[in-house]
Amino acid sequence: MNKIGVGIIGAGSIAEIGHCPSIQAIPQAELAAICDTDPEVMAKMTKKWEPKKSYSNYEDMLADKNVQVVIVGSPNRYHAQQAIDAMRAKKHVIVEKPFACTHAEAWKMVDVCKQEGVFLMAGTNQRFWEQNQIARQLIDDGFIGQPMMGRSSLHEGWSLYHEQLSFTQFRADPDEAGAGALFDLGAHRADLLMYLMGSKPKRVMGIVKRLVTPEEYTKLDDSFWILIEFENGATGCISGDRYSPAVSNISEIYGSEGTIFTGSEATNPFQSAPLAVYTDKEFRQDQLPEIVREYRYPQLFWSEDIMQPSGNVPKRWVPIYPERGWAYKSMLQHFIECIEKDVAPSLTPEASALVTDVLVGAYQSMKTNSWVDLPLKENYIVPNYNAPECK
């Protein structure tokens, strides 16, 4: 089997715990190269993961013919330019979230992707959790009718991933990160809500602030609320913060005929299952979607379903427990298979550019004190960020 060589720019914590083990677990992939400017990090990562090549300059790695896929895992400031350079070197690219830090960066990445004829995908892996994929399939099948309202939240303090797992502190550095909770957590929430709602965002309004974090720690935002109106008339909200000591990660989709709750990377007292579904539709036992039928236990009596005078099963919440899996592996597996089959990834670069516009647009709405239409009409730069110009 000819394996697809993957090179990683930025050998930090997400490469260590997400990308390298995923590459190792996929038979069609191999770790062709790792690149980082920190010699100590490179020595550690090279010893553990044994890439074919190691580089201190990403442009040298892009010249490596054995690298066919590039994962950009560097600090946010460098995502756009490194992705553009990789695509111009005819590499397929996965860009860690945030996809970009400005409207101009995001849509230039889309343009270069089209010009070079390569695949480009954001690393917003949460849509690849099995429970979220099941939720999307049930929505596509009409299980909850038309999705009309949605909410997605991720609340996770600086003291967790940022301080305990991260190799560097760039997420608190305005020049490196661009924004705080907004870019780091908001990218996941906007992408996941768009995925589950199945419509493009039409306009946004938001509040992005530093509410709790001391200024000496960072000047960046530590909380956000963003309202979204979608093109199909549906509405949604995403939220997050960087001061909660325990993680809350849940999405809710309210359809015209049912509801879906889903979570992925943490539990809480109100979330007893990674996925729970309810429908107001009438179903006979053999008409239920297979995944719902598999997990739907009787509440009172083993034969209650066949005792119904109408022949339809009683309506109730159904908790679903899919295999936990690993979303980073599922994401990379999908991308590799798309390359093998020459089929575009399910997550388009245009969708990820719109995620960038949702996040930046929320900040812009605070300046204009009004709704902001999407896609953005101007290249608004978030506060505290000195955006580089993409070449």
Side-chain angles (χ1 to χ4, degrees):
M1 177 190 299
N2 291 325
K3 295 191 175 186
I4 292 178
V6 182
I8 302 175
I9 301 175
S13 54
I14 203 60
E16 162 76 356
I17 64 178
H19 300 304
C20 287
S22 297
I23 295 167
Q24 192 175 71
I26 296 173
Q28 312 101 295
E30 66 176 358
L31 185 58
I34 292 180
C35 175
D36 201 280
T37 56
D38 188 322
E40 291 186 9
V41 169
M42 279 300 300
K44 171 189 171 183
M45 293 290 284
T46 299
K47 181 178 180 180
K48 180 172 182 178
W49 296 106
E50 299 181 338
K52 301 289 184 182
K53 294 283 185 66
S54 298
Y55 296 94
S56 59
N57 184 315
Y58 82 89
E59 292 172 326
D60 292 337
M61 191 189 85
L62 296 182
D64 189 335
K65 295 181 179 180
N66 292 319
V67 174
Q68 295 148 285
V69 173
V70 169
I71 297 175
V72 177
S74 53
N76 305 348
R77 181 180 185 84
Y78 310 104
H79 286 189
Q81 189 64 64
Q82 291 176 348
I84 288 169
D85 290 343
M87 288 187 287
R88 286 175 175 159
K90 298 297 183 182
K91 314 295 185 183
H92 302 289
V93 180
I94 294 176
V95 186
E96 260 297 336
K97 51 83 187 173
F99 185 68
C101 296
T102 71
H103 167 81
E105 288 178 356
W107 290 98
K108 182 164 186 176
M109 291 161 70
V110 172
D111 290 341
V112 173
C113 174
K114 292 178 179 178
Q115 292 164 7
E116 300 298 338
V118 295
F119 294 149
L120 170 65
M121 192 173 82
T124 40
N125 65 301
Q126 293 208 1
R127 64 163 58 205
F128 288 93
W129 282 108
E130 182 69 15
Q131 53 268 41
N132 292 328
Q133 304 244 309
I134 293 170
R136 180 67 254 175
Q137 186 60 57
L138 290 173
I139 292 169
D140 286 343
D141 292 343
F143 189 72
I144 64 167
Q146 180 67 30
M148 297 310 301
M149 295 182 71
R151 181 177 75 91
S152 188
S153 64
L154 176 53
H155 298 257
E156 176 187 303
W158 296 106
S159 63
L160 299 173
Y161 185 96
H162 177 69
E163 292 188 0
Q164 297 186 54
L165 291 174
S166 179
F167 288 10
T168 65
Q169 298 296 296
F170 82 84
R171 289 171 181 83
D173 183 340
D175 199 44
E176 296 279 282
L182 180 71
F183 282 175
D184 206 31
L185 307 181
H188 276 312
R189 300 348 282 173
D191 176 76
L192 185 55
L193 188 61
M194 286 167 54
Y195 173 64
L196 294 174
M197 295 298 287
S199 182
K200 295 179 182 179
K202 177 183 177 182
R203 59 178 185 162
V204 297
M205 178 183 288
I207 298 175
V208 188
K209 288 187 174 183
R210 180 174 53 82
L211 295 176
V212 175
T213 308
E215 185 175 4
E216 57 267 26
Y217 188 92
T218 183
K219 293 181 179 180
L220 296 176
D221 60 276
D222 63 6
S223 64
F224 62 89
W225 286 96
I226 303 176
L227 295 177
I228 304 171
E229 182 181 9
F230 293 92
E231 287 185 352
N232 65 359
T235 59
C237 174
I238 61 173
S239 66
D241 77 62
R242 270 300 190 200
Y243 50 82
S244 291
V247 175
S248 174
N249 180 336
I250 189 170
S251 298
E252 308 166 342
I253 306 298
Y254 297 91
S256 56
E257 297 178 272
T259 305
I260 290 178
F261 290 167
T262 177
S264 50
E265 295 180 336
T267 59
N268 61 59
F270 300 97
Q271 184 183 341
S272 59
L275 177 63
V277 302
Y278 181 92
T279 183
D280 197 43
K281 288 177 174 289
E282 300 288 349
F283 280 103
R284 300 179 69 87
Q285 179 80 20
D286 60 355
Q287 294 173 331
L288 283 168
E290 183 179 357
I291 188 71
V292 177
R293 188 168 63 249
E294 180 182 347
Y295 280 94
R296 188 181 171 280
Y297 282 84
Q299 285 186 319
L300 301 175
F301 182 41
W302 65 272
S303 62
E304 63 186 18
D305 285 348
I306 62 175
M307 293 168 57
Q308 301 304 311
S310 66
N312 293 322
V313 298
K315 298 170 184 175
R316 67 173 65 116
W317 281 100
V318 179
I320 296 173
Y321 295 82
E323 292 185 10
R324 183 161 185 256
W326 184 230
Y328 279 102
K329 178 188 173 186
S330 298
M331 177 181 70
L332 183 58
Q333 182 86 54
H334 172 71
F335 196 69
I336 294 292
E337 290 175 356
C338 286
I339 294 170
E340 291 177 327
K341 298 173 183 177
D342 195 26
V343 175
S346 58
L347 173 53
T348 68
E350 289 86 353
S352 297
L354 278 171
V355 167
T356 301
D357 279 358
V358 166
L359 304 179
V360 174
Y363 245 129
Q364 187 174 2
S365 78
M366 295 178 66
K367 179 180 179 182
T368 62
N369 198 31
S370 63
W371 286 90
V372 172
D373 293 334
L374 302 181
L376 295 179
K377 304 299 188 295
E378 60 180 304
N379 191 37
Y380 176 81
I381 308 297
V382 299
N384 299 306
Y385 186 49
N386 178 23
E389 183 178 350
C390 284
K391 302 175 182 178

